[in-house]
Amino acid sequence: MNQAVSLAKELIKIPSTAEKPQALTRVLQVAQLRLKGFGVRKFISDKTPSLLFYPGKTQPKKFKLLLNAHLDVVPGKPGQFNPSVKNGRLYGRGAQDMKGGAASLILVFKTLAKTLNYPVGLQLVTDEEIGGTNGAKHQLKNGLTAEFVIAGEPTEFRINNQSKGIVRVDLVAHGKTAHGAYPWRGKNAVSLVTKTVDNILKKYPVPQKEAWRTTANLSWIKTDNQTTNKVPDQAEARLDIRYLPQEIKTIKASLKDLVALPVKLKFVAFEPAQFTKSTNPFIKKLIQATHKITGKKPKIYSTHGGSDIRLFNARGIGGITFGPIGGGLHSDQEWVDIKSLNTYQKILTRFLISYT
Ligand SMILES: [Zn+2]
């Protein structure tokens, strides 16, 4: 049987969702069994395991190329952990995102890594779906570095070089309570908060349809007040803002400028955007390799949601996501195209060999 399919099936059978640390360890063991004879560094952070493979016994100071895959999946129905093949497609939770791609990366690494005259690594993590803090980020904090990273997320052979960053803010207001019939005697905290919300939504309006620009979503407005005839003296709101990569250094200040005093703005989350220039030499080579194998020049594109690549970019390491064809992302009918797994391996092989 097709090696990538049989390995992907083994990986899919393990329900490696974020809340099951034992399953995360087991899914990594499946990969490790296939990579006997390679150097491996084991990481664990907050019960989240991850691995880093390299050809020799010791970890290279800096990888020229790093292949990255996440082996965690979003939760699924029990039947989804029983993979099946139909009409050239492999079905199962994670088939597309991204155990199909991961199986291909593992096989390419296994076949080629020891024959290349430059350092190549394979990183397998288990927390991409929940932010990557204890996987990719933890490894980066502990001495991992590289010139360029490819994550095998499903992109249908297109190259994703940028995605938006995330800022989450809380707006908190304290006003003055009064009887609802005498509102001038109080200071309405809900009104104070909504004024700032309006300012933010005016600057970052919701586009009529998909558009490549910064957006803000008002997640909630809350107040402790449950009485109708009272001026609320406390209120808070949360906004989920997705900013463009070029705003990474300015977005916080821009938001602060929109606050209507005395509302206080608190940053509750800040995730870097993903960005690597489309003229990056590694991207150019990958375009050539893809063109040669598929006969088509791959598109370079942007996404609204990010991947672990942003964590590398935040440290000045170039990287993209690039992977096979599939469908039904995070749904009950998730699949990966089997032929595309073979094509994917051929492209990566050509790409890796082009540096020798
Ligand atoms: Zn993914």
Side-chain angles (χ1 to χ4, degrees):
M1 204 201 331
N2 184 316
Q3 276 196 65
V5 174
S6 77
L7 176 53
K9 275 181 161 180
E10 270 187 72
L11 297 170
I12 292 168
K13 280 181 192 160
I14 300 168
S16 48
T17 49
E19 77 288 357
K20 289 186 183 140
Q22 285 175 342
L24 299 179
T25 302
R26 271 196 294 140
V27 80
L28 287 176
Q29 280 166 353
V30 171
Q32 220 183 328
L33 273 176
R34 298 280 180 137
L35 294 169
K36 277 183 190 160
F38 284 87
V40 60
R41 187 169 161 201
K42 296 179 184 183
F43 295 83
I44 186 121
S45 170
D46 197 15
K47 291 187 191 156
T48 305
S50 68
L51 299 174
L52 179 65
F53 293 96
Y54 31 84
K57 280 201 171 76
T58 47
Q59 179 186 336
K61 272 208 178 91
K62 184 174 193 170
F63 291 102
K64 183 179 181 77
L65 279 166
L66 183 71
L67 306 174
N68 160 292
H70 69 84
L71 292 178
D72 55 315
V73 293
V74 295
K77 299 202 168 123
Q80 288 188 278
F81 297 101
N82 196 358
S84 61
V85 172
K86 214 167 44 186
N87 300 329
R89 292 173 173 184
L90 172 65
Y91 284 87
R93 168 57 78 232
Q96 184 195 20
D97 185 15
M98 57 163 280
K99 288 176 170 175
S104 304
L105 290 178
I106 291 167
L107 294 172
V108 168
F109 178 81
K110 183 180 176 174
T111 310
L112 281 186
K114 286 185 179 170
T115 70
L116 302 169
N117 58 8
Y118 60 86
V120 59
L122 172 69
Q123 177 184 52
L124 300 179
V125 299
T126 60
D127 71 337
E128 194 275 342
E129 297 291 358
I130 55 165
T133 306
N134 294 304
K137 196 172 181 181
H138 177 71
Q139 290 199 11
L140 283 163
K141 269 201 232 157
N142 285 278
L144 166 66
T145 187
E147 281 180 51
F148 195 75
V149 192
I150 297 178
E153 300 278 7
T155 65
E156 312 197 321
F157 302 133
R158 294 172 302 160
I159 295 170
N160 172 221
N161 72 321
Q162 60 176 337
S163 65
K164 291 177 182 172
I166 304 172
V167 196
R168 297 202 169 107
V169 294
D170 277 353
L171 304 172
V172 182
H174 293 281
K176 197 177 144 211
T177 187
H179 191 286
Y182 308 91
W184 57 89
R185 291 179 184 165
K187 206 184 246 172
N188 190 310
V190 175
S191 299
L192 289 170
V193 162
T194 53
K195 202 166 166 190
T196 299
V197 169
D198 286 346
N199 290 346
I200 292 174
L201 291 176
K202 210 180 238 172
K203 170 126 190 206
Y204 305 111
V206 179
Q208 294 292 317
K209 56 181 173 85
E210 185 177 354
W212 186 245
R213 65 185 197 211
T214 298
T215 57
N217 174 53
L218 174 62
S219 307
W220 65 66
I221 294 188
K222 293 193 287 197
T223 175
D224 291 343
N225 179 44
Q226 297 296 313
T227 312
T228 309
N229 62 353
K230 193 176 142 186
V231 174
D233 65 348
Q234 182 276 342
E236 60 184 81
R238 177 164 291 181
L239 288 122
D240 183 11
I241 291 136
R242 308 298 175 115
Y243 66 91
L244 297 182
Q246 62 265 34
E247 290 179 83
I248 193 161
K249 290 206 170 99
T250 53
I251 186 73
K252 282 187 173 179
S254 303
L255 289 166
K256 278 185 191 158
D257 281 348
L258 299 169
V259 171
L261 295 171
V263 172
K264 286 205 175 89
L265 181 142
K266 281 196 290 193
F267 293 102
V268 289
F270 184 80
E271 285 294 339
Q274 180 198 325
F275 183 74
T276 299
K277 272 191 187 157
S278 58
T279 52
N280 178 295
F282 287 97
I283 294 183
K284 279 193 173 164
K285 274 243 163 130
L286 185 60
I287 291 173
Q288 285 167 8
T290 309
H291 193 181
K292 202 82 198 168
I293 300 293
T294 65
K296 268 192 246 162
K297 253 194 168 181
K299 262 196 191 142
I300 298 182
Y301 75 113
S302 314
T303 51
H304 300 280
S307 71
D308 272 357
I309 291 297
R310 74 191 191 288
L311 304 169
F312 291 90
N313 294 162
R315 292 184 168 246
I317 301 168
I320 47 113
T321 64
F322 175 77
I325 298 168
L329 190 85
H330 294 194
S331 81
D332 291 350
Q333 288 294 318
E334 189 180 338
W335 57 272
V336 70
D337 180 86
I338 291 173
K339 236 194 248 162
S340 81
L341 295 181
N342 298 335
T343 308
Y344 185 49
Q345 290 171 63
K346 278 187 199 157
I347 296 168
L348 289 176
T349 300
R350 190 173 181 103
F351 173 71
L352 288 169
I353 287 175
S354 73
Y355 284 98
T356 56

